[in-house]
């Protein structure tokens, strides 16, 4: 599988500012996200619908579409985004194929913003966080169910219900 894959370096900078209150970490950007140079760029990923539903209850009406709209939405709701992995071997967008992980240093976000809670988007991001980042920061993360379309057991409505926990931190 990923053994023959080239090492890919994360091309998207961390998104945060001094007003960010929560940090949501994925594992590594999908092929579509790497092409768009912003997070959760694949139209089938439900991240933006879920986040909009959690923050505004309008997930099907006013979901941000452009990168600029997404950035404005994140700023308005004090949300920082990044991924656990700085570089790895990966086949396509498959989390299951991830090998040879080099973690991101989230210290610059923690030092530059008043992050009150850290959440991971899915089990892979949570496992990688606990393995590589928790020992450095000592800060626990909350595992949220993945917004990936591969997580077919969760409808958008069920994801919104589970993700509502972030409201208490923003």
């Amino acid at each position: 599988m990923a053994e023959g894959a080239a090492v890919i370096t994360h091309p998207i900078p961390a998104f945060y500012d001094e007003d960010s209150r929560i940090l949501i970490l994925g594992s590594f950007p999908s092929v579509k996200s790497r092409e768009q140079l912003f997070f959760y760029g694949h139209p089938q990923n439900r991240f933006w619908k879920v986040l909009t539903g959690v923050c505004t209850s309008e997930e099907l009406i006013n979901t941000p579409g452009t990168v600029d709209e997404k950035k404005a939405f994140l700023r308005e709701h004090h949300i920082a985004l990044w991924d656990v992995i700085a570089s790895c071997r990966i086949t396509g967008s498959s989390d299951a194929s991830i090998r040879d992980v080099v973690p991101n240093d989230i210290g610059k976000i923690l030092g530059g913003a008043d992050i009150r809670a850290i959440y991971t988007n899915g089990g892979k991001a949570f496992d990688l966080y606990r393995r590589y980042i928790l020992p450095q920061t000592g800060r626990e993360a909350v595992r949220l169910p993945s917004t990936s379309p591969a997580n077919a057991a969760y409808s958008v409505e069920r994801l919104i219900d589970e993700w509502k926990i972030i409201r208490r931190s923003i």
Side-chain angles (χ1 to χ4, degrees):
M1 239 215 250
E3 290 77 16
V7 172
I8 300 175
T9 300
H10 198 303
I12 308 168
F15 183 86
Y16 70 101
D17 63 24
E18 64 278 355
D19 295 324
S20 298
R21 299 294 174 257
I22 69 165
L23 172 59
I24 300 172
L25 295 168
S27 54
F28 194 74
S30 69
V31 171
K32 284 286 184 197
S33 296
R34 294 190 307 258
E35 288 171 1
Q36 292 180 11
L37 295 177
F38 203 67
F39 304 93
Y40 305 102
H42 196 288
Q44 297 303 312
N45 192 298
R46 300 164 297 173
F47 179 83
W48 296 105
K49 284 183 181 181
V50 169
L51 205 56
T52 305
V54 165
C55 294
T56 69
S57 300
E58 299 177 352
E59 78 277 1
L60 301 177
I61 300 168
N62 293 317
T63 302
T66 68
V67 170
D68 286 341
E69 289 170 346
K70 292 171 182 177
K71 288 178 178 180
F73 179 89
L74 294 169
R75 276 189 205 97
E76 178 182 348
H77 296 285
H78 310 290
I79 299 170
L81 279 185
W82 210 17
D83 290 308
V84 174
I85 301 172
S87 69
C88 66
R89 292 184 190 278
I90 186 170
T91 302
S93 301
S94 170
D95 274 0
S97 71
I98 291 173
R99 304 284 183 273
D100 303 328
V101 169
V102 174
N104 271 318
D105 176 6
I106 70 164
K108 67 182 183 179
I109 299 173
L110 298 178
D114 181 22
I115 299 297
R116 299 172 184 173
I118 301 170
Y119 299 91
T120 64
N121 187 353
K124 186 67 168 190
F126 182 75
D127 293 344
L128 291 166
Y129 180 88
R130 290 189 60 82
R131 180 174 180 186
Y132 295 106
I133 298 178
L134 176 62
Q136 296 172 2
T137 66
R139 293 191 58 177
E140 290 288 343
V142 175
R143 180 185 186 267
L144 297 171
S146 175
T147 59
S148 167
N151 184 11
Y154 280 78
S155 65
V156 170
E157 294 75 19
R158 186 174 174 202
L159 285 167
I160 290 169
D161 244 16
E162 295 284 329
W163 278 64
K164 282 182 181 175
I165 191 172
I166 72 172
R167 285 183 181 169
R168 64 182 176 190
S169 302
I170 50 176

